[in-house]
Amino acid sequence: MLTGSCYWDNEETLYGSSTCNTTSVTYSLDVAPLFNSNCNSCHSTQSAASLGGNVVLDNYKSVLIYANNGHLMGSLNQKQGYFAMPLGGAKLTACQLQTIQTWIDNGALYN
Amino acid sequence: MVHFITKSKNILSVLFLVGIFTTEAQDLESLLEEAIPDKPQPVFATFKSSRVINLQSPERVAAGNLEFRISHRFGPLNGGAYQLWGLDQSSIRMGLDYGISDRIMIGFGRSTYQKIYDGYVKYGILQQHTNGGMPVSVVGFSSIAVSTLHFADPTRVNYFSSRLTYVNQVVIARKFNEKLSLEIVPSWVHYNLVTTKNDQNDIAVIGFGGRYKLGKRVSINAEYNYRIQANPNATNLNQYHNSFSIGVDLETGGHVFQFQLTNSLAMVEKGFLTETTDSWSTMGVHLGFNITREFVLKK
């Protein structure tokens, strides 16, 4: 039952594996939009206290704290000992994780 | 004259009593005949609820009945005192189950987990019988889950089919005695879209569930779902854990309360079978409960 619309797709084949461009990652153009679409429904300044464990991710200064102490990537990579994030959402794609990791590796600049 | 009337009354009383006892004796006899039959009788109430904990049981909502089910899981216990051991967080699924007939039940639900809407059909195939009859109950289950999260990359061409995941299961259950019931549940989970070429679109899962009654209204339940890994490099298996849950069922009239500890946050099939992010070894265990209320719509 219900298999009439079955597909056996994967994103690499469907969209190509070379779409992840991390050569010029910036906070404002690449990282902040990812937080806006995946995290800030709970982690905005307004809602963090009630929904996001007081972890704010809608401004550079706050993001930098969690980028530097390892909690950001620990949670996003859903490593043991960290809260798996996004809570109740799908894990960020490999390219999205790579984008944030590259930004951190490049010094987590406000650019 | 007075003596004659008294005697008649006594005779009538005796005849009346004999009549009652004869009728009662016949009724008991027929009841005993029904209670100790020589032909196989169907076995009912293998489990208290239509779910063992997360996993489907062979039970179905009776024909014409509508069941409202609220399932709730708190955050992980390893959140510590700051997160009040998970009580600060919650994930919920609200659902309605309806018995179309005694064999067929349909259900619909909405989860906070991935903002999933799910619909399913559950259908009785075989019924366990006593006295050398069918030794197990067999029930089929087919569901479709639609994730309504925003697409990860809205700039590319996205397809509605990418949101869909299917689960097909066969529940094979046996009530061994009044206390012990066990089931084995082979499942097939299909993802229309996975991330990498190494990921598995199809994941086979073998589930085990059971209950042991401690009293008329109380039982302890447990279930374990083992994912069968066809590709050792499949990241959509390597990054998740098998689901294990243990709980208590409390029955009170039209309600069944189920309390549990589980490493699965999701309550929808595709979530707890194949997307369990937490592990018992790190106390990534969620306290949770299911509450049901049944309404009779048709008699």
Side-chain angles (χ1 to χ4, degrees):
Chain A
M1 177 201 162
L2 302 172
T3 53
S5 58
C6 270
Y7 296 89
W8 279 263
D9 291 333
N10 66 76
E11 292 181 19
E12 280 180 0
T13 307
L14 201 59
Y15 301 111
S17 54
S18 60
T19 53
C20 192
N21 183 357
T22 57
T23 51
S24 58
V25 174
T26 64
Y27 175 77
S28 55
L29 291 178
D30 302 297
V31 177
L34 283 179
F35 290 141
N36 281 336
S37 56
N38 294 284
C39 314
N40 291 346
S41 57
C42 297
H43 291 289
S44 67
T45 305
Q46 291 78 18
S47 55
S50 55
L51 298 172
N54 215 24
V55 174
V56 177
L57 296 176
D58 66 356
N59 66 78
Y60 172 75
K61 199 177 164 186
S62 300
V63 169
L64 190 63
I65 296 167
Y66 300 104
N68 287 337
N69 67 15
H71 282 253
L72 182 65
M73 293 314 292
S75 287
L76 292 177
N77 282 313
Q78 304 187 346
K79 286 183 179 170
Q80 290 198 351
Y82 295 94
F83 275 107
M85 291 289 161
L87 186 71
K91 189 180 177 182
L92 297 190
T93 65
C95 183
Q96 290 170 325
L97 291 169
Q98 199 181 331
T99 300
I100 301 169
Q101 187 62 60
T102 303
W103 173 70
I104 294 170
D105 292 344
N106 290 343
L109 302 173
Y110 187 46
N111 51 10
Chain B
M1 185 66 184
V2 174
H3 178 70
F4 176 71
I5 290 170
T6 310
K7 200 174 178 182
S8 301
K9 272 184 179 175
N10 286 341
I11 290 166
L12 280 171
S13 300
V14 168
L15 284 172
F16 180 63
L17 284 171
V18 166
I20 287 173
F21 282 125
T22 311
T23 314
E24 276 195 358
Q26 280 170 348
D27 286 348
L28 282 170
E29 210 169 340
S30 59
L31 280 171
L32 279 170
E33 272 173 9
E34 281 171 21
I36 312 168
D38 33 15
K39 62 179 185 180
Q41 294 292 310
V43 173
F44 296 108
T46 307
F47 287 85
K48 282 187 186 298
S49 173
S50 60
R51 269 76 162 182
V52 179
I53 291 172
N54 286 319
L55 202 57
Q56 295 288 335
S57 80
E59 301 304 321
R60 302 175 296 280
V61 174
N65 284 16
L66 181 74
E67 188 178 81
F68 179 50
R69 171 176 289 269
I70 296 178
S71 306
H72 185 284
R73 303 289 179 270
F74 291 104
L77 295 180
N78 61 16
Y82 181 65
Q83 301 283 358
L84 201 61
W85 293 273
L87 296 188
D88 281 353
Q89 298 174 336
S90 71
S91 182
I92 194 168
R93 178 185 179 275
M94 287 189 290
L96 289 171
D97 298 334
Y98 179 70
I100 293 177
S101 69
D102 283 336
R103 272 182 182 272
I104 301 174
M105 160 181 157
I106 56 171
F108 173 78
R110 204 286 189 174
S111 302
T112 53
Y113 179 80
Q114 295 183 5
K115 303 186 188 301
I116 285 174
Y117 291 86
D118 68 283
Y120 70 82
V121 181
K122 192 172 176 181
Y123 37 98
I125 300 167
L126 296 172
Q127 180 78 36
Q128 184 185 344
H129 280 69
T130 57
N131 298 327
M134 179 56 59
V136 293
S137 291
V138 179
V139 173
F141 172 86
S142 295
S143 80
I144 184 168
V146 186
S147 166
T148 61
L149 284 173
H150 294 311
F151 281 113
D153 183 356
T155 61
R156 70 190 185 192
V157 180
N158 291 297
Y159 303 95
F160 177 76
S161 61
S162 303
R163 297 184 176 281
L164 306 181
T165 308
Y166 308 95
V167 177
N168 287 296
Q169 294 183 319
V170 180
V171 180
I172 305 161
R174 177 169 169 80
K175 186 175 184 177
F176 286 89
N177 51 49
E178 279 307 308
K179 290 190 170 183
L180 180 69
S181 299
L182 297 174
E183 68 173 23
I184 184 165
V185 186
S187 305
W188 167 61
V189 183
H190 174 79
Y191 288 84
N192 273 350
L193 179 69
V194 291
T195 308
T196 70
K197 287 176 188 170
N198 284 331
D199 291 343
Q200 290 179 213
N201 287 92
D202 296 297
I203 302 173
V205 184
I206 185 94
F208 305 91
R211 74 105 188 251
Y212 187 81
K213 279 179 84 171
L214 299 176
K216 269 191 172 180
R217 297 181 179 278
V218 184
S219 71
I220 52 169
N221 296 7
E223 64 177 54
Y224 178 68
N225 294 292
Y226 176 78
R227 296 159 306 139
I228 298 167
Q229 188 153 3
N231 178 1
N233 297 318
T235 50
N236 66 340
L237 276 95
N238 288 333
Q239 69 187 17
Y240 297 118
H241 299 275
N242 293 328
S243 168
F244 175 69
S245 312
I246 186 160
V248 177
D249 279 10
L250 296 174
E251 191 183 338
T252 56
H255 302 271
V256 176
F257 294 99
Q258 296 182 301
F259 299 95
Q260 61 273 146
L261 289 169
T262 173
N263 61 331
S264 296
L265 181 67
M267 291 144 277
V268 64
E269 275 69 24
K270 78 124 182 170
F272 68 81
L273 288 175
T274 56
E275 296 170 9
T276 294
T277 53
D278 292 303
S279 159
W280 279 79
S281 63
T282 56
M283 284 310 286
V285 177
H286 305 261
L287 177 67
F289 57 84
N290 306 333
I291 298 173
T292 60
R293 175 69 202 179
E294 204 158 313
F295 302 95
V296 180
L297 298 189
K298 280 188 205 169
K299 286 199 174 179

